Amino acid sequence: MSTLKELCGGLPLDPLPPNSGRDPRVPHAPIRTPNLSQQEERLALRNALRYFPPSLHSTLASEFAQELRQYGHIYMYRFCPPVCMRAYPIDQYPCRTRQAAAIIHMIMNNLDPAVAQFPQELVTYGGNGQVFSNWAQFWLVLHYLSEISEEQTLVMYSGHPLGLFPSLRSSPRLVITNGMVIPNYSSRGDYEKNFAMGVTMYGQMTAGSYCYIGPQGIVHGTLLTVLNAGRRYLGSGDLAGRVFVTSGLGGMSGAQAKAAAIAGCVGVIAEVDEVPLKKRHEQGWLMEVTADLDHCIQRIRDSKRTKMALSLGYHGNIVDLWERLAIEYESTGELLVDLGSDQTSLHNPFSGGYYPANLSLHQANQLMATDPTRFRDAVQESLRRQVQAINKLAEAGMFFWDYGNAFLLEAQRAGAEVKKSGAGKTEFRYPSYVQHIMGDIFSLGFGPFRWVCTSADPRDLAQTDDIAAVVLEDISATVSERVRQQYSDNIRWIRQAGKHNMVVGSQARILYSDQKGRVAIALAINQAIADGRVSAPVVISRDHHDVSGTDSPFRETSNVYDGSAFCADMAVQNFVGDAFRGATWVSLHNGGGVGWGEVINGGFGLVLDGSEEAGRRASMMLNWDVSNGVARRCWSGNANAYETIQRTMEESSHLRVTMPFPVQDEHVLDRALQG
């Protein structure tokens, strides 16, 4: 078992660690099929050997070549460290700066087997959301971070640590880019080859920026989505006896069961893989599990009648569940489902993100590796079947929305009936949850603000929960009625958060908040660290899925209708602006929740250490981090954003935003275009 000091000592080369291969006790990523030419295989092997002195090449070359041909990527399993991977208290890391120690705390949390989806493949969530591309990069990054000073910056090129470079004390200590491929070469096929050759990486959103906090990361957002879906579609926030059907219990999607139970509804979540399903059940996130479809239907009927909250995991294919619900309606006239969505990893549909019906998990994985074309056909057939069943139930009164996982986009590509007549490119038969539910919340400036207590002490987390609640209660008395509803939802959430046992991995919390709330919470936590009420530094960050962080035309910016939904200026400006306003680290990725080539997203981490400097950085950076996106949404024509940025300008004399003049008479356009 390596110590943390040994882990930060650089690549273990003398002697080489034993090659134990894959650990059968943990789940593993599906086999990739990059279809490399002989020349590309040679290049992939040459690229991997660059991390090692020539004296070791003859030993390592053959095993790396075997990994490439057997798994489709060189992960360097030999160098998977023999350490209990978890977020250790910050003072245990042998670093020159606490900023660097906080970053290692976050990295090791992302790779904690309790958190990570495929820990030995360095995948945190989403099937392909990498922390690094291989284990050599892990060792080098920890070594660099142990030695970095406050006048250096570590630069990361798609998992590869380019090195430490001189910079200012005010500069970020870490700058990350993932998947920044020239646009014309940003196809899925190009990605598979480039990843196999070790030259680019899919960082997802918070995996490759080291800011993932386990399935808790979207519990709050999922809860808000379900509650607001009830308000919008069912006319009530009281969801007792209402049934929400969805799928996916892996990384991010694992949040659905907990959110459904907190919302008070009957949540039924299908999952084909027994490993994550058991994991969520053992963690207390899932109340019941069944592999019997008849029993599943009976539990739905019982829970509707008793109006008892339930999270039920169905071990089976979501297609089978939707088709059975449609059959029940056709045969009995009873509509057993009120709300529906999907949270499988359809950004990665042909590499394990979505499993077709009529095949076991083992059969599907075999087909994926041996005949990718047939597997692709099977996935698309299942998508067509799934949509056909959903359409029948929706016509009967069930409300369905896309959860931003590219479900409708991939269903359309598969030929399913999801087209909306006369719609733009970002609209389908069913709305995305951004278009109908979360988009207006983003435009008010609210989004998934997060913090991590690097002491790893639950008492610090409880203290920060209380600090955040008091701050929001104070602010809520001064805001408009529309904003007060959001504050009320979030105060209720944070007051109850500790009771729901949501911590998996690091002592972290998520809370939707607007600009004013984020700044005030950060400053209050920073003061608590200075006073000793919180015992160690706290990392603040957010999900990239936020008001400013992401340009994604089928999700985050799907409600931007001025034609700029496919432009990525906002995310890039967010990344750059956070960097020079005080972030400890920043990240910019191609890919994310909707898929490679479909989205650009940016994130940050900022270490609060109780100093006045940390407070100044937090205030400056967080104000920009929200206002950037609100201003862009205002310019696109969103009324909520217009009001929000106008109010923010009134409160800040240094903020001046270009405001739009909307066309008030559509006939002006008609006359001009006709004449």
Side-chain angles (χ1 to χ4, degrees):
M1 183 68 70
S2 295
T3 65
L4 293 179
K5 185 176 181 180
E6 290 169 337
L7 207 60
C8 293
L11 270 166
L13 303 178
D14 188 17
L16 282 174
N19 183 15
S20 302
R22 282 186 164 195
D23 183 347
R25 297 169 297 178
V26 298
H28 290 283
I31 294 171
R32 312 186 76 92
T33 53
N35 296 317
L36 299 183
S37 67
Q38 286 187 348
Q39 183 180 2
E40 289 166 337
E41 282 188 334
R42 192 178 186 86
L43 187 55
L45 190 55
R46 184 192 304 276
N47 288 345
L49 292 172
R50 287 183 294 188
Y51 289 101
F52 306 94
S55 60
L56 298 176
H57 286 185
S58 61
T59 301
L60 298 175
S62 59
E63 70 185 58
F64 287 174
Q66 183 180 0
E67 284 186 20
L68 180 63
R69 288 175 171 165
Q70 188 170 356
Y71 305 121
H73 186 74
I74 300 171
Y75 296 105
M76 306 183 186
Y77 290 113
R78 176 191 288 268
F79 295 96
C80 185
V83 67
C84 179
M85 193 72 73
R86 64 180 178 86
Y88 290 86
I90 187 173
D91 291 336
Q92 294 186 22
Y93 296 108
C95 298
R96 295 173 64 187
T97 77
R98 301 196 99 189
Q99 292 181 336
I103 296 169
I104 297 179
H105 179 94
M106 302 289 281
I107 289 172
M108 293 189 70
N109 183 67
N110 269 25
L111 293 170
D112 180 341
V115 174
Q117 186 178 13
F118 305 124
Q120 279 205 304
E121 288 75 45
L122 302 114
V123 172
T124 300
Y125 68 94
N128 60 351
Q130 305 282 150
V131 185
F132 302 107
S133 180
N134 60 58
W135 283 106
Q137 295 171 347
F138 169 86
W139 286 93
L140 288 174
V141 166
L142 263 62
H143 181 59
Y144 278 133
L145 288 171
S146 71
E147 294 193 332
I148 195 171
S149 76
E150 292 188 356
E151 294 182 341
Q152 290 173 300
T153 294
L154 174 58
V155 177
M156 298 294 300
Y157 275 24
S158 290
H160 170 66
L162 194 66
L164 297 177
F165 293 83
S167 61
L168 302 173
R169 292 176 68 89
S170 59
S171 302
R173 296 283 72 80
L174 175 65
V175 175
I176 303 166
T177 53
N178 283 310
M180 290 292 109
V181 175
I182 304 301
N184 278 355
Y185 306 92
S186 194
S187 70
R188 280 182 182 151
D190 288 326
Y191 164 70
E192 290 295 340
K193 285 181 177 287
N194 286 332
F195 179 62
M197 289 190 293
V199 296
T200 197
M201 189 182 86
Y202 193 89
Q204 254 285 354
M205 297 180 120
T206 51
S209 64
Y210 319 147
C211 289
Y212 187 63
I213 61 169
Q216 180 190 177
I218 65 162
V219 171
H220 189 21
T222 306
L223 172 64
L224 290 176
T225 301
V226 173
L227 287 175
N228 283 294
R231 290 166 182 161
R232 180 178 184 112
Y233 301 132
L234 306 177
S236 173
D238 180 4
L239 296 179
R242 299 291 197 166
V243 177
F244 171 47
V245 171
T246 181
S247 56
L249 283 167
M252 286 292 197
S253 61
Q256 297 181 108
K258 177 70 79 171
I262 296 172
C265 67
V266 180
V268 184
I269 308 97
E271 171 58 61
V272 295
D273 189 345
E274 192 175 16
V275 173
L277 186 138
K278 279 187 172 181
K279 186 176 181 179
R280 297 301 171 223
H281 190 232
E282 289 167 0
Q283 290 172 342
W285 286 62
L286 191 61
M287 295 162 69
E288 295 181 18
V289 172
T290 183
D292 185 327
L293 203 46
D294 290 337
H295 180 68
C296 182
I297 296 299
Q298 187 57 49
R299 290 297 291 128
I300 292 173
R301 284 196 167 98
D302 293 344
S303 300
K304 279 178 71 71
R305 185 181 68 254
T306 61
K307 297 189 175 181
M308 294 293 291
L310 172 68
S311 56
L312 174 63
Y314 167 59
H315 182 208
N317 197 288
I318 184 59
V319 177
D320 296 330
L321 178 57
W322 279 119
E323 289 182 339
R324 176 61 181 274
L325 289 165
I327 290 170
E328 291 292 324
Y329 174 71
E330 289 171 342
S331 61
T332 68
E334 185 180 11
L335 184 64
L336 292 175
V337 54
D338 302 284
L339 301 171
S341 192
D342 185 281
Q343 221 177 101
T344 51
S345 296
L346 270 158
H347 69 277
N348 183 34
F350 311 121
S351 299
Y354 180 94
Y355 282 91
N358 298 339
L359 292 172
S360 70
L361 183 68
H362 177 68
Q363 290 170 330
N365 280 327
Q366 279 191 320
L367 186 63
M368 191 192 312
T370 59
D371 195 341
T373 300
R374 276 186 59 206
F375 182 81
R376 181 190 183 101
D377 291 343
V379 164
Q380 294 190 323
E381 181 190 5
S382 286
L383 283 169
R384 291 192 293 271
R385 285 173 53 185
Q386 184 172 343
V387 167
Q388 186 176 22
I390 288 168
N391 287 349
K392 288 178 183 177
L393 293 164
E395 288 166 3
M398 184 264 294
F399 295 92
F400 186 88
W401 71 88
D402 184 285
Y403 218 122
N405 62 331
F407 174 74
L408 292 178
L409 180 63
E410 288 302 327
Q412 178 179 260
R413 289 169 175 166
E417 296 179 16
V418 295
K419 189 174 181 180
K420 181 179 179 181
S421 179
K425 287 191 288 185
T426 63
E427 295 179 280
F428 299 95
R429 178 171 184 162
Y430 305 106
S432 84
Y433 76 126
V434 171
Q435 288 170 323
H436 267 198
I437 301 169
M438 299 304 290
D440 280 347
I441 294 175
F442 283 163
S443 294
L444 289 170
F446 284 83
F449 182 57
R450 297 173 171 181
W451 61 90
V452 177
C453 298
T454 65
S455 64
D457 188 339
R459 292 173 296 182
D460 278 349
L461 183 60
Q463 179 70 253
T464 57
D465 283 348
D466 189 59
I467 289 169
V470 170
V471 166
L472 294 187
E473 285 164 352
D474 287 345
I475 296 174
S476 67
T478 66
V479 298
S480 68
E481 189 60 37
R482 183 184 299 180
V483 174
R484 188 172 295 117
Q485 174 66 61
Q486 299 304 320
Y487 268 85
S488 175
D489 284 348
N490 286 288
I491 290 167
R492 185 170 69 226
W493 160 265
I494 198 64
R495 283 295 187 196
Q496 298 177 359
K499 302 174 184 176
H500 292 296
N501 300 317
M502 290 179 293
V503 170
V504 177
S506 59
Q507 293 294 318
R509 187 67 74 219
I510 184 169
L511 171 69
Y512 268 61
S513 183
D514 62 355
Q515 180 173 328
K516 185 180 289 187
R518 296 185 208 202
V519 173
I521 290 169
L523 294 179
I525 290 175
N526 194 55
Q527 186 60 51
I529 297 167
D531 295 344
R533 287 176 288 137
V534 174
S535 67
V538 170
V539 174
I540 58 172
S541 70
R542 54 163 168 74
D543 193 344
H544 298 204
H545 170 64
D546 196 8
V547 55
S548 290
T550 300
D551 286 295
S552 178
F554 297 103
R555 191 162 85 175
E556 282 81 0
T557 46
S558 61
N559 68 329
V560 170
Y561 299 116
D562 67 348
S564 71
F566 291 85
C567 301
D569 301 81
M570 179 176 71
V572 176
Q573 289 283 3
N574 185 260
F575 162 82
V576 174
D578 284 353
F580 66 73
R581 286 178 174 86
T584 306
W585 73 95
V586 289
S587 59
L588 186 69
H589 303 172
N590 170 14
V594 184
W596 184 262
E598 303 285 0
V599 49
I600 299 293
N601 64 87
F604 76 86
L606 193 153
V607 178
L608 300 174
D609 60 7
S611 66
E612 291 184 8
E613 174 65 17
R616 283 193 294 271
R617 286 172 177 246
S619 181
M620 180 68 71
M621 197 216 70
L622 290 173
N623 277 304
W624 154 257
D625 193 66
V626 177
S627 280
N628 168 46
V630 177
R632 185 270 180 98
R633 292 166 191 274
C634 164
W635 186 245
S636 76
N638 186 284
N640 278 2
Y642 188 100
E643 295 172 13
T644 301
I645 203 67
Q646 200 166 44
R647 185 173 63 252
T648 308
M649 283 194 290
E650 291 168 0
E651 295 170 355
S652 174
S653 60
H654 291 289
L655 178 65
R656 294 180 63 190
V657 171
T658 306
M659 303 295 281
F661 292 101
V663 173
Q664 296 179 341
D665 182 0
E666 291 292 321
H667 296 300
V668 171
L669 306 181
D670 296 334
R671 289 193 295 270
L673 293 171
Q674 290 168 4

